Amino acid sequence: MSLASLFRRTPRRFMTPIQLAAHLAPPPTPPAQSTVAPGPSPSPSDSSADDAEPQHGHPVVLPDLTKQWPTVTPESLRNILGDKAVEVELGRRGRGYLDPAWQRVEMPFSFFLDYISQSDSAPSGASDSHASSNDPTPPAPSSPQAPSSHFPHNAPNAPDHATASSSDATAGAMHLSAYLAQLPLPCSLPLPPLEHYTSVKGDLYGRTLWVGNASFTPFHRDPNHGIYTHLYGEKIFYLVPPQNEAHLAPAAGILRNTSRVPVPISCLDAGEDMNDLEHPPEVYRTMIREAAKGGYTARLKAGDSLLIPMGWWHSAEGLGLGVGVNAWFR
């Protein structure tokens, strides 16, 4: 059985701001215990359907929440951001920000977009196409000029700037994964805030933009509630309840909110050769099998939003080129 199949599908529900606030409110005090023997618990198959009722405080997919927003594509972002300098996460494909080779690099947004548009559309462990039915494949971008100039000399698989030709430099750099994560939402991007963001305590913590190709974010937890909205392409989330935290082996220090599982679930399921990891892949598979108990998965298409309650651990894998925006609120 694959690791991905151990996670239940996240229920899909439209929620008004009032319903969302009630869903995230502290649960009511349970009634006095009845002397009548309880009925049988539902089997996993009973709770895995998309029309299952979302349990109180659990993740929920919110469809059509942003149907009034304008269409956002990678090319429309190019028109808005142009050559604006952005900070990009750069590292080896299929590795998260705990990898020793991971680093942040500043580059023009237009170059970043050219680079990820030419990259392979999905990691070798990914299992499906990245194209949404309502999102046509974007036209092939023009080749960036002097592409290696925006990559640091010490980047993993970086080309030798002194000796490599332009084509060699491009090929060397293409082994890298570049991900624009947590860019503060530009004022020029016309995405109005939702009432849902301020439905709990009225405090909108922040809104950010995410752009990548076959991107990967390792399991981590946030200190606030979040709503992630996917705007272009497709993305898969895996969510683990707070009580299963120990199975994810959180890192120490400032990264204690991040799991030590360093690779995507899709790569673990594909049985890839991962000799560079601290532990054999089966160690990480065992961790995920335990953590998945009570967990959910959600495959988002353009227009889908995902409610991630505070404290829930989550990992995300982009299926090809994708754009999303999220908000943290309290």
Side-chain angles (χ1 to χ4, degrees):
M1 179 180 292
S2 70
L3 298 176
S5 67
L6 299 176
F7 293 82
R8 298 170 291 177
R9 286 175 293 176
T10 305
R12 300 174 64 90
R13 285 287 182 274
F14 179 82
M15 286 187 174
T16 66
I18 293 176
Q19 291 171 328
L20 184 140
H23 180 75
L24 293 175
T29 304
Q33 193 171 11
S34 172
T35 56
V36 179
S41 300
S43 66
S45 60
D46 294 333
S47 59
S48 63
D50 281 336
D51 59 355
E53 279 296 327
Q55 298 183 44
H56 183 87
H58 283 210
V60 183
V61 173
L62 307 167
D64 298 326
L65 200 62
T66 59
K67 60 184 177 181
Q68 302 302 324
W69 285 8
T71 300
V72 176
T73 67
E75 289 305 311
S76 69
L77 288 178
R78 185 195 300 275
N79 295 335
I80 293 172
L81 296 175
D83 288 334
K84 174 183 171 64
V86 293
E87 195 173 66
V88 171
E89 296 184 359
L90 193 66
R92 297 182 296 168
R93 287 191 174 279
R95 299 293 183 269
Y97 51 77
L98 287 179
D99 189 88
W102 178 91
Q103 56 188 297
R104 291 184 181 273
V105 178
E106 192 173 88
M107 63 180 67
F109 177 79
S110 59
F111 169 81
F112 161 75
L113 191 57
D114 283 338
Y115 173 74
I116 65 169
S117 297
Q118 295 177 59
S119 302
D120 294 337
S121 62
S124 56
S127 59
D128 209 336
S129 168
H130 69 276
S132 297
S133 58
N134 59 342
D135 288 316
T137 302
S142 57
S143 298
Q145 192 156 1
S148 65
S149 61
H150 295 293
F151 290 90
H153 291 273
N154 62 339
N157 298 315
D160 183 339
H161 296 199
T163 60
S165 66
S166 178
S167 60
D168 290 339
T170 301
M174 296 299 272
H175 292 288
L176 302 175
S177 172
Y179 189 24
L180 179 58
Q182 302 189 58
L183 176 72
L185 195 68
C187 297
S188 52
L189 192 59
L191 300 179
L194 302 172
E195 291 181 271
H196 298 68
Y197 299 157
T198 56
S199 61
V200 180
K201 293 185 178 179
D203 183 8
L204 176 58
Y205 178 71
R207 300 177 73 195
T208 57
L209 179 69
W210 306 69
V211 186
N213 190 342
S215 58
F216 166 57
T217 303
F219 276 104
H220 66 286
R221 59 173 169 77
D222 297 319
N224 302 294
H225 303 304
I227 291 180
Y228 175 89
T229 299
H230 207 57
L231 302 174
Y232 182 91
E234 296 188 23
K235 197 169 196 174
I236 294 180
F237 279 79
Y238 298 97
L239 303 109
V240 168
Q243 63 268 25
N244 290 0
E245 173 178 304
H247 297 301
L248 293 175
I254 193 172
L255 291 174
R256 61 185 177 275
N257 71 325
T258 301
S259 167
R260 286 193 175 95
V261 177
V263 292
I265 284 179
S266 62
C267 291
L268 290 172
D269 273 340
E272 292 187 8
D273 183 12
M274 293 176 274
N275 294 327
D276 61 301
L277 301 183
E278 181 181 1
H279 302 291
E282 188 55 35
V283 172
Y284 300 113
R285 293 189 186 101
T286 299
M287 294 166 63
I288 296 298
R289 289 189 192 103
E290 293 300 318
K293 296 174 181 178
Y296 292 91
T297 185
R299 180 168 180 154
L300 305 184
K301 296 185 178 182
D304 285 338
S305 299
L306 175 63
L307 170 66
I308 305 175
M310 177 177 60
W312 275 73
W313 291 75
H314 49 286
S315 175
E317 300 182 35
L319 301 181
L321 195 61
V323 177
V325 64
N326 83 307
W328 290 292
F329 58 95
R330 296 184 269 235

